[in-house]
Amino acid sequence: MTTLVIADHNNSALSDATAKTVTAASKLGGDVVILVAGKGCDAVAEAAAKLDGVAKVLVADDAQYEHPVAEPLAALVVSLAGDYDAIVTAATTVGKNFMPRVAALLDVAQISEITAVESADTFERPIYAGNAIQTVKATDAKKVITVRTTAFPAAGQGSSASIEKIGAAENPGLTEFVSEELTKSDRPELTSAKIIISGGRGMQNGENFAMLEKIADKLGAGVGASRAAVDAGFVPNDYQVGQTGKVVAPELYIAVGISGAIQHLAGMKDSKVIVAINKDEEAPIFQVADYGLVADLFKAVPELEEELGKAGL
């Protein structure tokens, strides 16, 4: 069995999600080949070639791939699909954008957000906001799979796979990239942060998120939020953690003023250690928390900041 992994990157650096996707792809058995499609992406290809379990890296360096627009990227993947038994990528924003198109063009069913590989055709994936795990067996000869990367460790970097340049596929000409506006922050991006502190409706307003930002700065953490906080306008949409936001699995997740609705738990319950601060001792968040503090967050958070200062942070 041969698997094609489509790399997630920004043309200069390889996403950690790709290293985790390679781990999942390796469990299918057989060779793993990575496709890097971008513009001026040699550094990305070199990083991909170092990942353990990778047999070869294909590089399609062309202006039409500088931004991962679904139509040209899907056309490239489909043009290569004949040589592979499985096509796999991370369930990131980019992966969720182009992979359904790949599946449709190949006339196969997509297997979305797998969390475990039982065999080359049998996988586990969460359903009902993560409250149930579904085992699916794919009958299509060619598998199109997205991976929930929080469920897999990153592949090591002890390999030295060959790198091969390939030509671009014909651009369908259906869409074109116009512009993008990206949030800039000195804090780590949520999906890659080792520590995350999130606020919920209990924060009362956006100004109070400054309390969490002070803690985040001391811990080198990312700042997240529940959907209730985002919908209330406290913070921007890109802060949202949950079923309809970002799925995270940091080493430490601190939930402040978050009740723990099922949709939020679906996005963070795989965190290694969960700490919850909430004045309601019956809040559902305490059911998944490793450590819980029943307290008024407006008293507890400043005290936490003070103790971190005493610890030299």
Side-chain angles (χ1 to χ4, degrees):
M1 184 168 188
T2 307
T3 301
L4 179 67
V5 171
I6 293 86
D8 188 88
H9 64 92
N10 62 0
N11 290 310
S12 59
L14 184 68
S15 167
D16 186 56
T18 301
K20 295 178 178 181
T21 302
V22 167
T23 298
S26 297
K27 295 180 181 294
L28 296 173
D31 292 335
V32 175
V33 176
I34 294 183
L35 169 64
V36 176
K39 177 64 176 174
C41 52
D42 288 345
V44 175
E46 291 171 4
K50 295 178 181 177
L51 295 177
D52 291 342
V54 175
K56 185 197 302 185
V57 176
L58 303 178
V59 183
D61 193 323
D62 191 274
Q64 65 178 306
Y65 307 128
E66 182 174 4
H67 303 282
V69 178
E71 287 76 7
L73 186 54
L76 174 63
V77 174
V78 170
S79 72
L80 300 170
D83 296 331
Y84 301 95
D85 302 296
I87 300 168
V88 183
T89 197
T92 59
T93 301
V94 173
K96 291 177 180 179
N97 189 27
F98 79 87
M99 280 294 264
R101 187 172 186 85
V102 170
L105 291 170
L106 294 175
D107 195 24
V108 300
Q110 177 175 306
I111 307 161
S112 302
E113 300 205 37
I114 66 167
T115 54
V117 178
E118 293 190 359
S119 67
D121 63 358
T122 306
F123 312 92
E124 290 183 359
R125 59 183 299 273
I127 57 174
Y128 301 130
N131 280 282
I133 300 298
Q134 180 183 56
T135 300
V136 295
K137 184 170 184 178
T139 58
D140 291 314
K142 199 175 297 295
K143 314 295 187 294
V144 174
I145 302 167
T146 61
V147 176
R148 179 169 287 193
T149 54
T150 55
F152 297 92
Q157 298 183 3
S159 185
S160 56
S162 61
I163 299 176
E164 177 184 333
K165 297 277 189 176
I166 62 172
E170 183 178 353
N171 191 331
L174 300 173
T175 56
E176 64 177 13
F177 175 81
V178 176
S179 66
E180 65 183 1
E181 294 182 15
L182 302 177
T183 300
K184 296 181 180 180
S185 174
D186 293 331
R187 299 190 181 93
E189 204 278 329
L190 283 177
T191 55
S192 61
K194 301 298 182 184
I195 302 174
I196 294 174
I197 182 166
S198 288
R201 195 195 308 271
M203 297 302 297
Q204 297 185 2
N205 58 55
E207 287 75 16
N208 288 331
F209 266 78
M211 299 165 56
L212 305 188
E213 292 169 354
K214 292 178 181 179
I215 302 294
D217 291 340
K218 289 181 177 292
L219 297 176
V223 178
S226 68
R227 179 171 181 173
V230 171
D231 286 350
F234 296 170
V235 290
N237 288 341
D238 55 340
Y239 279 47
Q240 186 178 329
V241 172
Q243 183 184 10
T244 55
K246 295 177 180 177
V247 177
V248 300
E251 298 294 326
L252 172 63
Y253 188 88
I254 306 173
V256 181
I258 295 176
S259 63
I262 184 174
Q263 292 84 357
H264 186 75
L265 299 184
M268 46 65 71
K269 66 181 182 180
D270 289 331
S271 303
K272 306 302 182 291
V273 177
I274 300 172
V275 175
I277 301 174
N278 199 298
K279 65 181 181 181
D280 179 9
E281 62 182 22
E282 301 296 328
I285 191 71
F286 289 123
Q287 297 176 14
V288 299
D290 298 286
Y291 300 94
L293 175 62
V294 179
D296 183 343
L297 71 88
F298 295 103
K299 180 181 178 182
V301 173
E303 289 177 349
L304 174 59
E305 181 188 355
E306 182 180 350
E307 291 300 320
L308 289 173
K310 291 179 181 178
L313 297 175

